[in-house]
Amino acid sequence: MSEERRKTYYITTPIYYPSGNMHIGHTYTTVAADTMTRFKKLTGYDAYMLTGTDEHGQKIERKAEENGVTPQQYVDKIVENTKELWKLMNVEYSDFIRTTDERHVKAVQKIFKQFYDQGDIYKSEYEGQYCTPCESFWTPTQLKEGKYCPDCGRPTETVREESYFFRMSKYQDWLIEYIQTHPDFIQPVSRANEMINNFLKPGLQDLCVSRTTTKWGIPVSFDPKHTVYVWIDALSNYITALGYTSDDTSLYERYWPANVHLVGKEIIRFHTIYWPIMLHALGLPLPKQIFGHGWLLFGNDKMSKSKGNIQYAQPIVQRYGADSLRYYLMREMPFGSDGNYTNEAFLTRMNADLCNDLGNLVSRTTAMIEKYFGGAVPAPDAYEDVDKALIDLAEALPNAVEKQMDALQFSQALTEIWKLVGECNKYIDVTQPWVLGKDESKKARLGTVMYVLAECVRFVAVLIGPFMPSTPERIYAQLGVTDGALKTWESLSAFGGLKAGTMVKKGEALYPRIDVAKESALLADEAEKWAAAFAAQSGNIKTPAETKAPEAPAKAEKNADKAKELPEGCIGIDDFAKCKMVVAKVCACERVKKSEKLLKFDLDIGTEHRTVLSGIAKFYAPEDLLGKSLILLKNLAPRKIMGNESQGMLLSAFVENPDGTETLRVLTVDEAMPAGAEVG
Ligand code: MSP
């Protein structure tokens, strides 16, 4: 194998249904794939990322009809919006495959024919429950009360339809053996057992792979009244995009087998059962890994149009930039687990991680180099232990990050990077440059401290690039780094690349502080406008930019109008609704050093942990409240108290004692109440 071949990396996203515009859930997978691709490119790989759209089927046919356009017109518009969204998210895919592309259609026809010729596909009859007005077959689990069409509610009939079937059962034992002998093939590992025990061992049914009732599909070349049904069409995209079966198979030869298919957990089954069997039947190698990630929930619920709880990426990115959202998506939940999106959680994280931790580090470092050294990065003098500890951490960081990335643990990789950010901020507190700056004899020491900080900031800038592609350049501009060689992975192999004399220039705050309560109301308002515009689009297929923003006044303004009518001293229900209160379980509690009043809590609020400082140390010992369920006002803007960020406020009341003194009691609730339950 040549050196060049050894270093390729091929990653894919699912191809999304363009039945509607892509939301933040689709954005999640695509950003993950882009982050990984960028990381592999940074570390020297020839990385290739594929995404695209899965455009055939009855649902699209129907959507188009509702809109009075052809299916092709319908999907063209959604695909245009999708590509715009990926551009907005700074996603640099290598190719975008559409299942309506001629290259795909031709290849699928050849693949289908090969299966038929070699006896993997046979013609038979499909028997199922059919709704004539909707022209749809429904599976027993989809039917309402075992009989009625889930779309129109009318009774269905048992109908037989001529169909082609794939002999899945033939490959079942081979696949069980393959999965068992390739423990990395399905990730997370728990999914592999699920596939074997729930689907493979009970026995695979042959799969229906053609329809005569769906016109919007790829015609079976040798029997054109049939169209190819769903999975053979969709899954093949991963190889048809590389030119498999075409005149030019160079991409296929270069990149197949894929290193990883990223998929949401609901489609793991198709990727780990049907796809390997199809590939095996074609005599092709299998992808090295299928990674089934968790769902991004919206307010603890799966996003769905019918529930009306869809969050789009656009309003968030327009207000805060793509890097902030990319950071949140990759940081908030371990890849593989479900997680939640809420405006408050997003904004709180921006404040804590991007504004406080990273932003402050960059601005403190550049401001101090300007103040004490006229902007020129000083040369370091002898390193002391405290410097060496930080340097060791920085030097070990690239490996630690790579290890996490190779396991697709984006969130952990960011945690590793933020460890260095956090340690740098602590280092400033410990070395106290402002004290050194007052003493001319400590100038050399001050120079060392400043150099260590500036070089650590450079390390951080290089490492965050795959996650937040626009932020490194903003940091380099402030650090005065112009030499491309100092922006590479290789430049992190040893500490000390940054040249003394480099001129820093403190710029604007990288991530200005956000007023969480105010911004989350505004963001909710913007999100509503986008959702309305996208909903309107199913009527006229226009982008929000083309669609006139809803005429009605924005919600915030409406609320302001209502507030004017309230009796003096009263608040309206909308004002109260702004206070987000939840049940919080005390996981840990300790006294804050050097403070008589403060207790520091680690609180579990269901979706995350919060650190909260409360001035109740006179009334409670830390152990008094351990394990108790309290009420937290969670959207109070975070505040820094004695070097700790307090992320919310615990509700409490003063109680009068018989002797006339007062005691403060924290409000507790029944311990059976789950952490995160909303109060109000
Ligand atoms: N067309 C099929 C996939 C065929 S792949 C050969 C399909 N399309 S889809 O539009 O429904 O997209 C599903 C994928 O979008 C999920 O597997 C996941 O990657 C992403 N997500 C959609 N909603 C999501 C969340 N709420 N959370 C996380 N990912 C989500 O299935």
Side-chain angles (χ1 to χ4, degrees):
M1 224 182 257
S2 72
E3 171 67 13
E4 209 178 6
R5 175 75 183 103
R6 195 174 61 78
K7 292 205 91 179
T8 59
Y9 187 86
Y10 178 33
I11 185 167
T12 64
T13 73
I15 46 171
Y16 306 112
Y17 291 129
S19 49
N21 286 299
M22 302 307 147
H23 56 61
I24 199 175
H26 307 105
T27 307
Y28 177 66
T29 318
T30 311
V31 164
D34 181 63
T35 302
M36 196 63 194
T37 310
R38 288 174 180 273
F39 182 76
K40 286 292 168 188
K41 285 183 180 166
L42 179 71
T43 53
Y45 283 74
D46 164 9
Y48 196 87
M49 170 184 161
L50 178 69
T51 188
T53 37
D54 186 1
E55 305 186 2
H56 293 120
Q58 234 165 21
K59 192 164 175 192
I60 303 274
E61 224 172 12
R62 231 178 274 145
K63 278 269 180 187
E65 207 177 280
E66 280 166 21
N67 285 284
V69 292
T70 64
Q72 191 66 55
Q73 283 169 326
Y74 186 85
V75 293
D76 282 352
K77 187 65 201 173
I78 304 279
V79 167
E80 188 188 317
N81 293 355
T82 305
K83 287 184 172 172
E84 253 171 48
L85 172 61
W86 299 155
K87 204 158 133 199
L88 185 73
M89 291 307 302
N90 222 335
V91 167
E92 284 180 354
Y93 50 79
S94 313
D95 195 2
F96 189 109
I97 179 115
R98 302 181 56 177
T99 53
T100 50
D101 286 346
E102 179 150 308
R103 56 178 174 157
H104 178 77
V105 171
K106 281 197 168 142
V108 166
Q109 287 178 325
K110 285 188 197 161
I111 291 170
F112 198 97
K113 175 98 174 25
Q114 185 181 336
F115 287 146
Y116 184 69
D117 289 346
Q118 66 194 31
D120 285 311
I121 282 180
Y122 62 94
K123 192 152 118 173
S124 180
E125 264 189 342
Y126 176 81
E127 188 184 286
Q129 292 308 115
Y130 189 70
C131 174
T132 313
C134 295
E135 293 178 30
S136 295
F137 275 101
W138 301 107
T139 63
T141 50
Q142 288 171 321
L143 291 172
K144 275 206 263 172
E145 294 163 40
K147 185 170 169 196
Y148 300 100
C149 169
D151 262 7
C152 71
R154 294 185 180 93
T156 55
E157 308 159 63
T158 308
V159 166
R160 283 163 174 264
E161 183 191 328
E162 182 187 278
S163 291
Y164 285 92
F165 287 83
F166 192 107
R167 263 182 241 284
M168 288 288 159
S169 42
K170 179 173 150 192
Y171 295 101
Q172 176 177 308
D173 293 340
W174 161 79
L175 186 55
I176 293 177
E177 152 98 22
Y178 186 88
I179 295 174
Q180 283 173 338
T181 51
H182 294 78
D184 289 338
F185 181 54
I186 305 179
Q187 289 295 319
V189 181
S190 57
R191 303 271 174 209
N193 301 330
E194 191 185 323
M195 292 305 125
I196 291 182
N197 297 331
N198 298 359
F199 300 106
L200 287 166
K201 287 212 168 135
L204 283 180
Q205 303 277 349
D206 287 354
L207 179 71
C208 174
V209 289
S210 82
R211 282 289 153 92
T212 51
T213 45
T214 308
K215 295 283 162 268
W216 181 240
I218 299 179
V220 171
S221 59
F222 52 91
D223 194 353
K225 76 170 193 276
H226 286 262
T227 52
V228 178
Y229 182 61
V230 190
W231 289 105
I232 290 191
D233 177 3
L235 290 161
S236 306
N237 90 86
Y238 301 128
I239 50 176
T240 63
L242 299 180
Y244 176 70
T245 77
S246 78
D247 294 339
D248 180 1
T249 54
S250 53
L251 285 176
Y252 173 81
E253 271 138 37
R254 191 178 183 85
Y255 294 111
W256 192 258
N259 292 73
V260 63
H261 293 315
L262 299 187
V263 299
K265 62 183 178 182
E266 78 291 353
I267 52 172
I268 292 184
R269 177 155 70 101
F270 310 107
H271 284 80
T272 58
I273 297 180
Y274 301 156
W275 183 224
I277 288 179
M278 282 170 60
L279 287 166
H280 188 61
L282 291 170
L284 303 180
L286 306 196
K288 293 181 190 142
Q289 188 169 87
I290 317 288
F291 198 111
H293 65 68
W295 284 333
L296 186 63
L297 307 173
F298 184 57
N300 284 321
D301 217 346
K302 176 121 207 285
M303 275 178 266
S304 90
K305 290 217 175 88
S306 54
K307 286 187 203 141
N309 66 343
I310 296 203
Q311 174 73 47
Y312 294 100
Q314 288 89 338
I316 308 172
V317 174
Q318 279 180 351
R319 261 192 113 66
Y320 311 106
D323 278 7
S324 311
L325 180 58
R326 288 177 64 113
Y327 176 80
Y328 180 83
L329 293 176
M330 293 298 94
R331 176 67 186 81
E332 188 66 9
M333 62 210 229
F335 209 59
S337 312
D338 288 350
N340 209 3
Y341 175 87
T342 62
N343 289 337
E344 289 81 6
F346 165 68
L347 296 166
T348 305
R349 200 170 260 298
M350 271 190 76
N351 267 349
D353 299 7
L354 303 184
C355 163
N356 280 1
D357 294 347
L358 177 64
N360 278 347
L361 173 63
V362 174
S363 58
R364 286 165 100 187
T365 303
T366 49
M368 289 191 290
I369 294 176
E370 282 189 343
K371 179 167 177 192
Y372 299 120
F373 295 94
V377 174
D381 195 29
Y383 289 131
E384 296 183 1
D385 284 351
V386 64
D387 313 320
K388 284 187 199 143
L390 199 58
I391 293 171
D392 285 350
L393 189 67
E395 284 188 329
L397 191 54
N399 267 342
V401 171
E402 189 168 34
K403 191 166 155 236
Q404 297 297 350
M405 289 301 278
D406 281 342
L408 289 141
Q409 287 309 318
F410 300 95
S411 168
Q412 282 305 320
L414 283 170
T415 306
E416 295 288 350
I417 301 172
W418 254 253
K419 257 189 222 162
L420 180 62
V421 173
E423 286 305 315
C424 284
N425 280 320
K426 273 195 209 148
Y427 175 82
I428 298 178
D429 296 342
V430 172
T431 53
Q432 300 190 314
W434 51 93
V435 176
L436 300 173
K438 286 193 190 127
D439 183 346
E440 198 48 38
S441 71
K442 303 266 170 60
K443 193 87 181 176
R445 176 71 199 132
L446 180 61
T448 305
V449 169
M450 288 300 120
Y451 183 83
V452 169
L453 281 171
E455 177 67 341
C456 282
V457 169
R458 184 182 74 83
F459 266 59
V460 170
V462 173
L463 290 167
I464 60 174
F467 300 88
M468 312 168 76
S470 310
T471 303
E473 279 306 324
R474 297 170 61 212
I475 299 179
Y476 296 140
Q478 299 205 27
L479 264 192
V481 171
T482 49
D483 180 359
L486 291 180
K487 303 174 182 176
T488 62
W489 180 258
E490 292 69 33
S491 75
L492 308 185
S493 60
F495 196 84
L498 187 64
K499 301 209 176 26
T502 304
M503 293 303 292
V504 306
K505 191 166 187 319
K506 182 176 177 325
E508 279 179 5
L510 281 184
Y511 289 94
R513 185 154 202 89
I514 290 167
D515 176 336
V516 175
K518 193 169 134 220
E519 281 294 318
S520 82
L522 286 170
L523 191 51
D525 215 38
E526 281 299 300
E528 234 174 67
K529 284 189 204 160
W530 272 84
F534 273 154
Q537 194 171 309
S538 58
N540 59 13
I541 319 194
K542 283 185 174 171
T543 62
E546 295 158 357
T547 311
K548 251 179 116 195
E551 294 290 340
K555 200 175 176 186
E557 290 164 33
K558 272 194 259 164
N559 290 346
D561 287 346
K562 272 194 221 148
K564 283 186 207 140
E565 296 153 17
L566 295 168
E568 216 185 305
C570 293
I571 61 164
I573 190 74
D574 295 328
D575 296 313
F576 178 67
K578 284 186 196 151
C579 299
K580 302 284 181 217
M581 290 178 284
V582 290
V583 173
K585 262 221 154 79
V586 180
C587 299
C589 180
E590 61 185 26
R591 286 184 188 281
V592 172
K593 273 185 211 134
K594 297 193 195 146
S595 166
E596 286 177 7
K597 283 196 199 148
L598 290 172
L599 288 184
K600 181 174 162 186
F601 290 87
D602 170 19
L603 301 172
D604 175 6
I605 59 164
T607 48
E608 58 180 305
H609 279 240
R610 289 280 179 96
T611 302
V612 168
L613 276 78
S614 184
I616 57 173
K618 273 206 290 189
F619 307 100
Y620 290 96
E623 58 277 15
D624 293 345
L625 291 167
L626 263 187
K628 293 260 189 287
S629 294
L630 315 179
I631 301 179
L632 178 75
L633 175 64
K634 71 167 187 175
N635 61 340
L636 187 71
R639 272 197 318 147
K640 202 137 200 174
I641 311 173
M642 301 196 70
N644 296 280
E645 186 178 76
S646 182
Q647 303 160 330
M649 185 177 84
L650 289 169
L651 299 198
S652 58
F654 272 108
V655 183
E656 200 176 323
N657 298 318
D659 63 0
T661 58
E662 279 187 323
T663 304
L664 189 127
R665 304 314 297 165
V666 180
L667 301 193
T668 56
V669 293
D670 188 332
E671 273 157 41
M673 295 267 281
E678 285 178 20
V679 177

